[in-house]
Amino acid sequence: MHSSKGLEWDHVWIARSEETIVPDPKSTEPEERRLFYVAMTRARESLMVSGTSKNFESRFVVEAQLNQGAIAG
């Protein structure tokens, strides 16, 4: 996510979008929220967001209402 600013791709995958991973506890929540938003908006055609069933989904996934796991553009 850190290197996606200013770039776009047809298909974007955000893997491990879990509360234990995103937001990263070593960074500030506003910065992590901004990076997640930037990553989501880099997709031209489709956005796939995944996580594991053992961890809760990230609060950013919930806030973006991506609970279905995949958004196609």
Side-chain angles (χ1 to χ4, degrees):
M1 289 191 287
H2 291 273
S3 62
S4 65
K5 187 176 179 181
L7 303 173
E8 287 187 341
W9 295 276
D10 290 339
H11 311 283
V12 172
W13 283 78
I14 302 175
R16 301 278 326 260
S17 57
E18 305 157 24
E19 192 61 29
T20 57
I21 307 297
V22 179
D24 185 334
K26 298 175 194 163
S27 184
T28 66
E29 184 167 334
E31 177 66 8
E32 290 291 298
R33 181 175 275 110
R34 184 189 68 76
L35 289 171
F36 192 80
Y37 175 80
V38 167
M40 285 191 321
T41 59
R42 301 302 94 187
R44 286 188 211 120
E45 294 181 28
S46 67
L47 169 64
M48 301 294 289
V49 180
S50 70
T52 64
S53 60
K54 69 178 185 175
N55 293 323
F56 294 108
E57 61 192 1
S58 171
R59 68 191 89 166
F60 302 155
V61 173
V62 174
E63 290 170 6
Q65 299 179 350
L66 299 177
N67 304 35
Q68 297 171 349
I71 302 296

